[in-house]
Amino acid sequence: MRQSPSIVPSDRLDRDIYIVLEDFGARAGCAWRETDEQDTDLEAVLQGLLSGQYAYPVRIVCFNASEGWSRDATSDIADVLAQRAADSDDEVSAALQGFISANATRRFDVQLALPLRGVA
């Protein structure tokens, strides 16, 4: 049986691609975020998370179609985000703090700021 050639250029497949599952609330539920192709590499996803592009990330999946694998990268991403938060003075949103707390596999030497409720 003859195989059809791929319609996706091979140079676009030969890399790791990261996609983010985001929680849009009770009414809308969770959905994989639509993302431009150039924003699917590791650094772009990290920057998107740190800049608040993703309000409530739930899971991050990495795949490489040319190598034929996929994996859950949620904990790896949470570890990298926690390390970056520890290394910088940048503010981390409450939602991102929750994501890191729920998914990081290592402890870091930083106290993430917690929002104070009821303080005037």
Side-chain angles (χ1 to χ4, degrees):
M1 175 183 249
R2 200 175 107 212
Q3 288 188 339
S4 299
S6 173
I7 61 171
V8 179
S10 61
D11 62 332
R12 290 185 177 174
L13 285 176
D14 196 17
R15 67 180 184 89
D16 296 353
I17 296 172
Y18 293 81
I19 56 175
V20 178
L21 180 66
E22 186 165 10
D23 186 350
F24 291 99
R27 288 183 58 116
C30 293
W32 296 101
R33 286 286 300 266
E34 184 175 333
T35 306
D36 288 336
E37 180 182 358
Q38 69 268 14
D39 295 332
T40 59
D41 67 330
L42 176 59
E43 190 57 37
V45 169
L46 290 169
Q47 288 301 319
L49 289 160
L50 289 167
S51 69
Q53 177 182 346
Y54 303 100
Y56 295 100
V58 175
R59 182 166 311 284
I60 300 167
V61 171
C62 176
F63 65 92
N64 187 311
S66 67
E67 294 177 6
W69 59 264
S70 66
R71 67 181 180 84
D72 182 347
T74 307
S75 294
D76 295 338
I77 298 292
D79 288 344
V80 172
L81 291 169
Q83 186 63 57
R84 287 194 183 185
D87 293 344
S88 73
D89 291 331
D90 296 339
E91 187 173 325
V92 177
S93 71
L96 193 54
Q97 289 177 28
F99 174 80
I100 292 169
S101 296
N103 297 292
T105 61
R106 301 186 323 237
R107 292 190 53 143
F108 293 90
D109 297 332
V110 66
Q111 175 64 43
L112 297 175
L114 297 175
L116 299 176
R117 297 183 184 174
V119 176

